[in-house]
């Protein structure tokens, strides 16, 4: 796949899955905008990409802050001629059983995971509509499809992303813009590192492919959806879970 000449925005690319997505787009020739709240980490990822002869810029941006999102997207648009690909990847968990879940934990997860996708999609799609082309890829989760005890807030946010993605697909189809979601299963990152070993062992039994996924597995699906190979695919959710939800 070749992304030469393409500008790609990846939210939450300072760590984990987003970082790997950013690196893979850069390896495929794309100019990647690394985004996270932690500006120093964003700069580190940018420098790593540059050291491997890739192209990247780094921006500190909180996806929950609409003004901050507008400011950063405008900076990107001032410097580059447009945004070709948007990957909404930033996400958090605040797990608890429903009866113990605080309103704050509900709101925080919904605000980062769902409202953040709304903010970035709204601002970036304006530029895509002007260009009459673009690819939007939203990172959902298998939990948004099957649910999970202790993750009602997270599951609701990730299911919300799937409905949001289908709506964008319908709204933008006639303007040359596709919108798809990727729903990873259990992927080894900081987010899942907190899980107890016993819980990890139980989970592994439910994965037909017999191993946890890596950020690399998720990045592969994103690059495919962003490529010309997927030009006729929109409104879909690609599950990357080793068969866990079959
Ligand atoms: P990590 O916790 O490793 O990384 C999360 C990323 O999101 C970081 O780069 C973080 O950057 C960024 N982020 C968090 N909050 C904000 C915010 N308010 N504004 C901007 N950036 C933010 O998570 P993963 O890599 O594991 O997860 C990435 C995505 O994949 C998430 O949407 C997650 O829900 C989803 N997913 C992950 C699975 C897994 O098993 N790991 C499974 C299914 C889905 P910073 O701290 O610099 O802001």
């Amino acid at each position: 796949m070749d992304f030469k000449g393409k500008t790609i925005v990846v939210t939450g690319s300072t760590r984990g899955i987003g970082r790997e997505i950013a690196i893979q787009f850069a390896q495929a020739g794309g100019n990647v905008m690394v985004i996270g709240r932690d500006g120093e980490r964003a700069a580190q990822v940018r420098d790593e990409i540059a050291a491997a002869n890739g192209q990247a810029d780094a921006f500190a941006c909180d996806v929950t802050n609409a003004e901050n999102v507008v400011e950063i997207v405008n900076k990107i648009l001032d410097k580059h001629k447009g945004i070709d690909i948007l990957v909404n990847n930033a996400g958090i968990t605040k797990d608890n059983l429903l009866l113990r879940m605080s309103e704050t934990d509900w709101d925080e997860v919904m605000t980062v995971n769902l409202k953040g996708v709304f903010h970035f999609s709204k601002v970036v799609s304006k530029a895509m509509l002007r260009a009459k082309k673009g690819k939007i890829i939203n990172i959902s989760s298998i939990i948004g499809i099957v649910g999970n005890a202790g993750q009602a807030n997270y599951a609701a946010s990730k299911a919300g992303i799937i409905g949001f993605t289908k709506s964008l697909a319908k709204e933008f189809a006639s303007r040359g813009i596709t919108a798809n979601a990727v729903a990873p299963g259990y992927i080894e990152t900081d987010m899942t590192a907190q899980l107890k070993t016993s819980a990890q062992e139980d989970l592994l039994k439910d994965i037909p492919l017999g191993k946890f996924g890596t950020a690399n597995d998720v990045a592969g699906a994103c690059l495919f959806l962003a490529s010309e190979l997927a030009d006729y695919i929109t409104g879909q959710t690609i599950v990357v879970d080793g068969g866990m939800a079959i």
Side-chain angles (χ1 to χ4, degrees):
M1 278 175 265
D2 184 359
F3 292 97
K4 270 193 204 82
K6 305 276 186 205
T7 301
I8 301 136
V9 172
V10 186
T11 71
S13 44
T14 53
R15 289 181 279 125
I17 293 171
R19 175 179 167 278
E20 183 63 26
I21 294 171
I23 289 171
Q24 288 205 14
F25 270 119
Q27 280 171 351
N31 190 2
V32 182
M33 307 297 118
V34 177
I35 286 173
R37 285 164 305 180
D38 185 337
E40 270 180 38
R41 270 182 178 274
Q44 271 171 25
V45 176
R46 177 201 59 203
D47 294 346
E48 234 179 287
I49 289 173
N53 294 322
Q55 279 180 284
D57 259 347
F59 300 93
C61 178
D62 185 334
V63 300
T64 67
N65 182 327
E67 283 174 14
N68 196 193
V69 173
V70 170
E71 179 201 342
I72 297 306
V73 171
N74 282 340
K75 271 192 192 166
I76 294 170
L77 290 172
D78 282 347
K79 199 164 165 191
H80 307 283
K81 45 182 203 292
I83 294 171
D84 301 281
I85 297 156
L86 167 65
V87 183
N88 282 306
N89 163 81
I92 59 164
T93 51
K94 296 268 171 186
D95 299 348
N96 221 330
L97 294 171
L98 183 64
L99 295 186
R100 292 196 202 131
M101 188 176 286
S102 68
E103 192 176 341
T104 310
D105 285 352
W106 171 270
D107 285 345
E108 266 188 51
V109 168
M110 294 304 281
T111 308
V112 176
N113 295 8
L114 194 51
K115 206 172 184 184
V117 176
F118 161 73
H119 287 323
F120 255 96
S121 301
K122 187 171 172 183
V123 184
V124 171
S125 65
K126 266 190 209 158
M128 289 180 169
L129 286 165
R130 278 197 297 274
K132 295 195 173 61
K133 64 181 168 101
K135 307 250 187 195
I136 299 172
I137 296 153
N138 298 324
I139 306 301
S140 173
S141 166
I142 197 62
I143 303 303
I145 298 172
V146 301
N148 196 22
Q151 290 198 301
N153 51 357
Y154 184 76
S157 72
K158 293 299 184 179
I161 285 179
I162 293 174
F164 179 83
T165 304
K166 289 180 181 176
S167 303
L168 293 198
K170 289 186 172 177
E171 230 172 281
F172 295 150
S174 64
R175 315 292 286 274
I177 301 166
T178 62
N180 290 288
V182 173
Y186 185 105
I187 309 296
E188 287 174 317
T189 66
D190 291 352
M191 186 177 270
T192 44
Q194 312 145 13
L195 262 186
K196 287 191 198 122
T197 316
S198 57
Q200 288 181 350
E201 281 164 8
D202 284 347
L203 268 169
L204 201 51
K205 288 183 201 139
D206 291 332
I207 302 176
L209 286 180
K211 57 184 178 184
F212 294 130
T214 63
N216 181 47
D217 296 318
V218 182
C222 294
L223 264 73
F224 164 69
L225 287 171
S227 76
E228 287 173 3
L229 295 174
D231 276 354
Y232 199 56
I233 299 175
T234 197
Q236 302 306 305
T237 301
I238 296 190
V239 175
V240 182
D241 72 342
M244 196 171 160
I246 296 171

